[in-house]
Amino acid sequence: ASSAGDVYVVTDNLSSHNSKSPREWLEDHPRIRHVFIPVGACRLDLQEGSWRIFRKTALAGQSFAGPPETDQGTCLATTQLNTRARPWIRGGPSPPNRHLRRRYVYTVRAIEHQVVS
């Protein structure tokens, strides 16, 4: 017995999801409907921000030889992130401004010109 009804596939707005080959495949499979999430909707999903931080911490610039190294990097990054984790409050105060290590202050002094006659 086969299932009846439509199947909805929800994807982000990556251009490859809407390129020629997926569209042709979808034409051959009329039960499958492709639905895109709204542009900017990822900002509403708290997991996106967490994933970005995790990716930057654990995966950026790394090269893993296989699953054991990937697992080790994931565990290490998770441990490091958890040690400095703080509660996140939506709409809370913004973080304090960063102070520059070096601060240059330029002062302009007025120079009096004497008129020689």
Side-chain angles (χ1 to χ4, degrees):
S2 64
S3 300
D6 291 339
V7 176
Y8 290 89
V9 178
V10 181
T11 62
D12 59 9
N13 291 292
L14 199 63
S15 61
S16 63
H17 295 153
N18 199 26
S19 62
K20 185 178 178 183
S21 58
R23 283 188 313 217
E24 289 173 349
W25 187 88
L26 287 168
E27 288 174 6
D28 295 337
H29 300 83
R31 279 188 56 219
I32 300 188
R33 307 287 181 173
H34 197 186
V35 181
F36 294 105
I37 61 171
V39 175
C42 63
R43 294 186 196 106
L44 301 174
D45 183 5
L46 296 180
Q47 181 60 33
E48 289 290 331
S50 300
W51 174 243
R52 181 181 55 81
I53 292 168
F54 178 78
R55 220 175 38 233
K56 181 179 175 184
T57 305
L59 306 177
Q62 300 296 322
S63 177
F64 300 109
E69 289 84 6
T70 306
D71 188 42
Q72 182 182 7
T74 300
C75 290
L76 179 62
T78 302
T79 302
Q80 289 174 352
L81 287 169
N82 284 338
T83 59
R84 56 180 191 234
R86 295 188 322 244
W88 185 79
I89 301 169
R90 187 175 189 97
S94 55
N97 289 337
R98 210 175 82 175
H99 295 289
L100 301 175
R101 289 188 179 155
R102 294 181 183 172
R103 185 173 294 231
Y104 297 100
V105 178
Y106 297 97
T107 56
V108 178
R109 289 184 276 159
I111 299 174
E112 294 181 24
H113 295 292
Q114 293 180 353
V115 178
V116 180
S117 43

